[in-house]
Amino acid sequence: MTLDLHTRTLPAGDAAASAAADCLRGGGLIGFPTETVYGLGADAADPAAVARLYAAKGRPSFNPLIAHVANLDAARKIARFDATALKLAEAFWPGPLTLVLPKTEGCTVCDLATAGLDSVAIRIPAHPVAQAILRAFGGAVVAPSANRSGHVSPTSAAHVLADLDGRIDLIVDGGPVAVGVESTIVGCLGAPVLLRPGGVPREAIERLLGVALAEPQPAPAGDHAPLAPGMLASHYAPRAQVRLDASEVRPGEALLAFGPAALPGAETAFAIRNLSPAADLTEAAANLFGFLRELDAGGARAIAVMPIPHHGLGEAINDRLRRAAAPRD
């Protein structure tokens, strides 16, 4: 990622919330305080912005991100709540509880932010600065911690600037935040499952529901694709067979292309989607899950994938493509 951004810092207040909302609408990245640490925010509906977020963090793989919204009405536009999920939301939101729920049909959170899954991780933060930004923006904001991957989580605007100066557009300085644990994550895709312990104790949730939370099923050996932040489980894969590092298009195959060059046999491809005609890895990351879904939904029985460079976001793109191509029972 090119470090050519001028990172501004603004003190928290109405003007900063408005500037942050404008930045998000323009596809920018912002650092802002939450209950526990500073988050790195991007418009959840904008795959190009989410790809830039991954690049700014140097995140090693496309893990699902938590979508932050201002209120329950906004949450219900992107996720389907059963009685259990609604009970949890009404009891613990705003606060450090994340719910993993089925997407609504009109869910605006992009495929890259959900790692291509049919579920979405969502919460309503309690921090007043986060709330002000979300109200000003009016949509969902994905926000992992505002630090480079593997670095210490940031608890002040100065920490964010030290880690991400030149990588993000704006930091809203709400002062130091209390150092707390991450949000508790509960999956509500059936019986409620504790996916990650955190700021809301298990006991409080079980007391409210009157049942014990189930434990997640262990992930298959070597599977590092999480169902939700902090939890290893299954990952998205198309029904079509995926063939990597293709040097030609075979009869009946669809083509997932990269760059300006044409492969032999492309003229007879079942369908073609080009992740980035300009060979831009950020653009390719933004298009990855959507284009795989399009080719799959179009009825392709096999998808040939052109070679993708392994540097920068290419590492994560290749990781997901390897998973999509893995043999299935």
Side-chain angles (χ1 to χ4, degrees):
M1 180 178 178
T2 304
L3 304 183
D4 57 2
L5 293 176
H6 171 63
T7 303
R8 294 186 298 154
T9 300
L10 295 176
D14 291 344
S18 178
D22 288 341
C23 182
L24 290 165
R25 292 187 194 102
L29 304 178
I30 66 167
F32 65 99
T34 73
E35 294 96 307
T36 55
V37 299
Y38 273 69
L40 174 57
D43 179 357
D46 183 346
V50 175
R52 285 194 289 274
L53 183 153
Y54 282 114
K57 281 185 67 70
R59 197 155 181 159
S61 61
F62 295 143
N63 296 327
L65 300 171
I66 297 172
H68 297 68
V69 295
N71 52 51
L72 186 55
D73 286 343
R76 297 187 80 161
K77 290 178 181 177
I78 62 176
R80 300 201 309 271
F81 286 73
D82 62 13
T84 296
L86 191 58
K87 193 171 186 178
L88 289 169
E90 290 173 341
F92 297 114
W93 281 352
L97 175 69
T98 293
L99 298 178
V100 178
L101 305 169
K103 294 178 181 176
T104 60
E105 187 171 336
C107 178
T108 55
V109 178
C110 68
D111 280 338
L112 185 57
T114 64
L117 298 170
D118 292 324
S119 56
V120 60
I122 187 168
R123 86 176 183 98
I124 299 175
H127 196 287
V129 175
Q131 275 285 322
I133 291 170
L134 289 167
R135 288 195 300 269
F137 177 58
V141 174
V142 290
S145 58
N147 58 287
R148 299 287 299 278
S149 282
H151 290 199
V152 176
S153 294
T155 58
S156 71
H159 293 161
V160 181
L161 187 65
D163 233 21
L164 297 175
D165 189 17
R167 290 177 169 263
I168 67 175
D169 301 273
L170 175 66
I171 300 169
V172 178
D173 187 351
V177 297
V179 182
V181 295
E182 298 168 302
S183 64
T184 302
I185 301 180
V186 174
C188 293
L189 304 172
V193 179
L194 181 65
L195 300 179
R196 182 181 75 184
V200 177
R202 172 201 289 268
E203 293 78 11
I205 296 170
E206 292 180 339
R207 195 159 50 242
L208 175 76
L209 298 180
V211 296
L213 291 171
E215 297 296 328
Q217 293 297 311
D223 188 351
H224 301 290
L227 172 66
M231 186 252 178
L232 301 180
S234 60
H235 52 275
Y236 169 72
R239 293 183 298 273
Q241 292 298 311
V242 175
R243 185 169 65 88
L244 303 181
D245 297 322
S247 57
E248 81 289 333
V249 182
R250 297 171 182 169
E253 286 185 325
L255 173 62
L256 189 64
F258 177 80
L263 285 191
E267 66 279 359
T268 64
F270 180 86
I272 299 175
R273 293 290 183 275
N274 195 322
L275 292 171
S276 175
D280 181 278
L281 288 170
T282 301
E283 182 182 19
N287 288 328
L288 176 62
F289 290 108
F291 283 4
L292 277 174
R293 283 183 179 273
E294 285 182 26
L295 292 175
D296 206 30
R301 288 182 294 179
I303 302 171
V305 183
M306 288 178 65
I308 311 289
H310 285 262
H311 61 82
L313 283 177
E315 181 181 2
I317 293 170
N318 280 289
D319 173 76
R320 283 299 162 136
L321 287 170
R322 280 194 300 272
R323 297 178 188 284
R328 297 187 288 276
D329 295 335

